[in-house]
């Protein structure tokens, strides 16, 4: 009797522990509300749903070797994995999956996210931040005849993308450049007084700034990417496109900047970056340098008061404000008319740091929420049919003993779900399949036990002895089959991807719960029945 009380106490403790694991609790989640991420308090059952059950984005990232040759791709991905994971954690996604698969790919799964472009931009952005002084020596204007000469000699304009037909505005602005460069020498060897740079590139409103009409932009951009043109650019200067554009009359112009190559400071000193909204400047990112960076920034900006300082992010000039006075550890990046969400994304990318290697999206799939709901409905239907079928078979064939196994099966479902919640597992569609499969495994153990009990009863054993020896003789078969299944699930977990891992985790949790319920709980129920009948009634089995 004392042994029975201990068994019942253990079962009661497991039920209470499982109920506590599954009890809805208050959690704080970051959600997008009107384009702004906010913390929201919700109460929910602590069971996580995977991408396939609630919809979202699936991205496969690889190293982009078209931009940079990487010798050890696997090691580079290990370094990139930490940065990507930090970015996703700050992206505000609940239950994301960020993991390396094989030696050449990172898988990112974002449940609840449907904005593919935004998600791709966040994980791919290099986020290398630099502050550079704009050129005040008109270095680009002095080499324009040489650049046009190279274009003419190499016939690069024919290979470059064709400029739009409307170049009249570009020519008009080109006149400004011609007047500013009135001292330029006439044609010499390798130079030209006419060409796409002369016609398409015009001085802007600040030192080092130029404008290119939208019609000329494809051609000039293509030429600037040519190695011969790059070799002829002014030494010690960087030529970078701006993110802003200008409207002059009805024409739109892209900005181009010439910068001193030496950066006065870069993003390695960045301590924090916070998105903000200003009534006059619009969305912006406020940043703070660490002590060393602040000291260096103050010293450099004091030397360049009155100059334009370009804020360069990923080789693009975000803005180029005039330095009015020495700037300390704090500064800001204006978003040039973009919304607060863009500022939030930039801030989180800056906080997470730069990627060690460029990444590209090798595969992107969007999984709709309706598909996820359909999967849940299908999984619940399959599970319900499986449970009803098991009840009918067990009760119809084993009668009272079958009812005891069904009671144990209810506890099995409770224990399995509690184990998934306790181990922070993510329930996926394959996981639901593993759960349904483990129901059959749990019942199969009871079938083995009941058949052994029947054999012992047929041999003339008493009911108590038949139950004891039935459990004992079935034990080896139950352990053997479950251990082999666990080993299979372990291999799936080790070498599988996200959904396959979900299947393996759910299967192992189900097997563990089935071992407890079939061997311990069902046997305890038999003991309760024996204590009530004192072994004087025939066992219905």
């Amino acid at each position: 009797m004392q042994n029975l009380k201990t068994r019942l106490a253990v079962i009661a403790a497991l039920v209470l522990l499982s109920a506590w694991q599954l009890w809805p609790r208050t959690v704080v989640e970051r959600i997008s509300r009107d384009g702004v991420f906010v913390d929201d308090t919700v109460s929910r059952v602590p069971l996580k749903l995977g991408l396939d059950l609630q919809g979202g984005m699936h991205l496969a990232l690889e190293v982009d070797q078209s931009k940079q040759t990487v010798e050890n791709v696997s090691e580079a991905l290990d370094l990139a994995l930490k940065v990507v994971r930090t970015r996703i954690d700050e992206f505000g996604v609940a239950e994301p999956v960020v993991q390396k698969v094989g030696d050449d790919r990172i898988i990112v799964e974002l449940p609840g996210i449907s904005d593919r472009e935004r998600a791709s931009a966040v994980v791919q952005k290099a986020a290398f931040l630099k502050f550079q002084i704009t050129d005040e020596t008109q270095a680009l204007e002095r080499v324009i005849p040489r650049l046009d000469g190279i274009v003419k000699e190499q016939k690069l304009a024919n290979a470059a993308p064709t400029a739009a037909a409307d170049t009249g505005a570009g020519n008009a602005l080109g006149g400004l450049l011609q007047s500013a460069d009135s001292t330029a020498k006439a044609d010499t060897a390798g130079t030209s007084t006419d060409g796409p740079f002369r016609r398409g590139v015009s001085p802007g409103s600040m030192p080092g700034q130029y404008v290119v009409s939208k019609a000329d932009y494809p051609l000039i951009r293509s030429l600037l990417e040519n190695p011969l043109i790059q070799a002829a650019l002014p030494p010690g200067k960087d030529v970078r496109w701006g993110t802003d554009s200008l409207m002059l009359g009805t024409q739109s112009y892209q900005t181009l900047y010439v910068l001193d190559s030496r950066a006065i400071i870069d993003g390695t000193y960045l301590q924090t970056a916070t998105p903000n909204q200003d009534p006059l400047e619009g969305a912006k990112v406020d940043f703070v340098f660490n002590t060393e960076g602040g000291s260096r920034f103050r010293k450099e900006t004091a030397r360049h008061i009155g100059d334009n300082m370009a804020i360069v992010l990923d080789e693009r000039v975000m803005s180029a404000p005039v330095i009015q006075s020495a700037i300390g550890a704090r500064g800001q990046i204006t978003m040039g008319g973009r919304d607060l969400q863009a500022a939030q994304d930039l801030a989180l990318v800056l906080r997470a740091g730069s990627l060690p290697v460029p990444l590209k999206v090798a595969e992107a799939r969007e999984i709709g929420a309706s598909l996820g709901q359909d999967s849940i409905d299908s999984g619940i239907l399959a599970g319900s049919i499986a449970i009803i079928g098991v009840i009918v078979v067990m009760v119809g064939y084993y009668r009272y003993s079958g009812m005891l196994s069904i009671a144990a099966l209810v506890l099995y479902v409770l224990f399995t779900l509690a184990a998934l919640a306790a181990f922070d597992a993510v329930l996926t569609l394959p996981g639901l399949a593993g759960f349904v499969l483990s129901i059959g495994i749990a019942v199969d153990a009871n079938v083995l036990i009941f058949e052994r009990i029947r054999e012992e009863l047929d041999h003339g054993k008493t009911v108590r002895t038949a139950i004891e020896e039935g459990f004992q003789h079935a034990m080896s078969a139950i352990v053997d089959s479950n251990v082999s299944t666990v080993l299979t699930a372990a291999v799936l977990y080790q070498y599988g991807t996200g959904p396959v891992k979900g299947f393996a985790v759910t299967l192992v949790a189900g097997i563990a719960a089935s071992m407890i319920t079939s061997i311990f709980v069902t046997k305890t129920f038999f003991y309760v029945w024996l204590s009530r009948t004192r072994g004087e009634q025939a066992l219905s089995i």
Side-chain angles (χ1 to χ4, degrees):
M1 182 59 70
Q2 187 63 35
N3 182 42
L4 179 59
K5 288 183 178 178
T6 303
R7 283 175 166 269
L8 290 174
V10 171
I11 293 174
L14 289 174
V15 170
L16 290 175
L17 182 61
S18 300
W20 178 77
Q21 284 290 347
L22 296 173
W23 192 261
R25 60 196 64 187
T26 301
V27 296
V28 178
E29 294 182 339
R30 294 199 73 199
I31 63 172
S32 177
R33 183 178 295 161
D34 298 330
V36 178
F37 276 114
V38 297
D39 292 333
D40 193 21
T41 302
V42 297
S43 179
R44 63 176 175 85
V45 175
L47 264 179
K48 300 176 180 178
L49 298 182
L51 180 70
D52 50 358
L53 294 184
Q54 64 170 314
M57 289 298 307
H58 170 95
L59 301 173
L61 305 176
E62 294 180 351
V63 174
D64 188 356
Q65 302 218 45
S66 65
K67 297 181 179 179
Q68 176 181 333
T69 302
V70 178
E71 294 183 358
N72 193 331
V73 173
S74 179
E75 184 177 330
L77 284 180
D78 287 336
L79 297 174
L81 184 64
K82 182 179 179 182
V83 177
V84 173
R85 183 172 288 135
T86 304
R87 290 182 182 185
I88 296 303
D89 287 343
E90 295 203 14
F91 195 52
V93 182
E95 321 307 345
V97 174
V98 181
Q99 61 185 9
K100 183 182 174 187
V101 177
D103 292 331
D104 59 352
R105 188 168 277 200
I106 292 175
I107 297 297
V108 178
E109 293 183 345
L110 307 173
I113 295 296
S114 58
D115 191 340
R116 171 178 174 173
E117 297 299 327
R118 184 180 172 219
S120 300
V122 167
V123 298
Q124 283 184 288
K125 190 173 287 184
F128 192 74
L129 181 65
K130 292 190 294 185
F131 296 82
Q132 295 172 274
I133 301 299
T134 61
D135 172 59
E136 296 185 345
T137 64
Q138 298 181 327
L140 179 64
E141 297 168 33
R142 289 198 297 273
V143 300
I144 278 183
R146 172 62 179 157
L147 299 181
D148 283 332
I150 295 174
V151 173
K152 187 176 181 181
E153 289 175 1
Q154 302 295 326
K155 298 180 180 179
L156 298 178
N158 295 332
T162 304
D166 185 13
T167 57
N171 288 332
L173 284 171
L176 297 175
L177 180 59
Q178 289 175 5
S179 61
D181 192 29
S182 57
T183 58
K185 296 179 180 179
D187 272 350
T188 58
T191 65
S192 175
T193 57
D194 188 27
F197 284 100
R198 173 69 63 182
R199 293 192 301 269
V201 180
S202 305
S205 58
M206 67 176 70
Q209 185 195 52
Y210 298 85
V211 294
V212 177
S213 72
K214 290 291 185 182
D216 292 321
Y217 173 66
L219 173 63
I220 299 299
R221 185 185 63 180
S222 175
L223 291 173
L224 286 174
E225 292 173 355
N226 186 281
L228 294 175
I229 297 295
Q230 290 183 355
L233 291 174
K237 305 295 179 185
D238 290 340
V239 178
R240 299 284 181 256
W241 291 103
T243 57
D244 53 337
S245 58
L246 300 174
M247 288 297 297
L248 297 176
T250 59
Q251 294 294 320
S252 177
Y253 296 87
Q254 187 67 43
T255 53
L256 182 69
Y257 293 87
V258 180
L259 314 171
D260 293 343
S261 295
R262 188 186 76 87
I264 62 175
I265 197 171
D266 59 40
T268 56
Y269 299 95
L270 199 66
Q271 190 171 47
T272 63
T274 308
N276 217 327
Q277 184 79 35
D278 186 274
L280 299 177
E281 298 176 315
K284 62 178 184 177
V285 175
D286 295 320
F287 60 84
V288 178
F289 285 123
N290 59 22
T291 304
E292 181 183 357
S295 175
R296 179 173 175 175
F297 199 39
R298 185 180 296 105
K299 180 180 177 181
E300 291 287 348
T301 51
R303 294 177 52 226
H304 291 282
I305 292 176
D307 296 340
N308 287 86
M309 179 183 67
I311 302 172
V312 185
L313 181 69
D314 295 344
E315 311 300 338
R316 301 274 290 194
V317 177
M318 301 292 292
S319 61
V322 177
I323 301 175
Q324 303 289 355
S325 61
I327 306 172
R330 297 179 181 275
Q332 67 180 41
I333 301 172
T334 55
M335 299 304 296
R338 285 187 286 174
D339 58 15
L340 182 59
Q341 186 178 75
Q344 288 179 322
D345 291 347
L346 175 60
L348 76 87
V349 168
L350 290 174
R351 288 196 298 269
S354 299
L355 289 170
V357 289
L359 297 178
K360 65 178 180 181
V361 176
E363 179 187 0
R365 285 188 284 116
E366 183 177 349
I367 299 175
S370 58
L371 177 61
Q373 188 58 49
D374 290 344
S375 302
I376 294 174
D377 295 340
S378 300
I380 292 175
L381 178 62
S384 300
I385 292 175
I387 291 174
I388 292 173
V390 166
I391 292 174
V392 171
V393 170
M394 295 300 290
V395 174
Y397 192 70
Y398 293 108
R399 292 166 292 180
Y400 181 77
S401 297
M403 293 175 63
L404 295 182
S405 69
I406 296 304
L409 189 63
V410 173
L411 294 183
Y412 154 80
V413 173
L414 179 66
F415 294 164
T416 303
L417 295 178
L420 293 176
F423 288 101
D424 218 21
V426 178
L427 187 60
T428 62
L429 183 59
L432 276 179
F435 180 64
V436 174
L437 176 62
S438 62
I439 292 175
I441 295 175
V443 175
D444 180 62
N446 285 136
V447 171
L448 288 173
I449 294 169
F450 293 169
E451 290 300 321
R452 297 291 84 76
I453 293 176
R454 273 185 170 181
E455 291 177 0
E456 299 303 327
L457 289 175
D458 291 343
H459 292 156
K461 304 285 180 64
T462 63
V463 173
R464 178 177 291 277
T465 303
I467 291 175
E468 291 286 354
E469 295 192 0
F471 273 91
Q472 182 179 352
H473 294 161
M475 183 66 70
S476 60
I478 294 173
V479 172
D480 289 347
S481 62
N482 284 341
V483 167
S484 61
T485 307
V486 168
L487 290 175
T488 304
V491 174
L492 290 176
Y493 183 85
Q494 178 64 32
Y495 297 103
T497 57
V500 177
K501 285 190 173 184
F503 173 81
V505 170
T506 310
L507 187 58
V508 171
I511 289 172
S514 75
M515 292 281 283
I516 294 174
T517 53
S518 61
I519 296 173
F520 185 79
V521 175
T522 306
K523 193 173 185 179
T524 302
F525 288 166
F526 275 115
Y527 284 164
V528 172
W529 177 79
L530 287 171
S531 68
R532 294 173 63 86
T533 63
R534 300 183 184 281
E536 297 175 352
Q537 293 183 10
L539 178 61
S540 176
I541 191 169

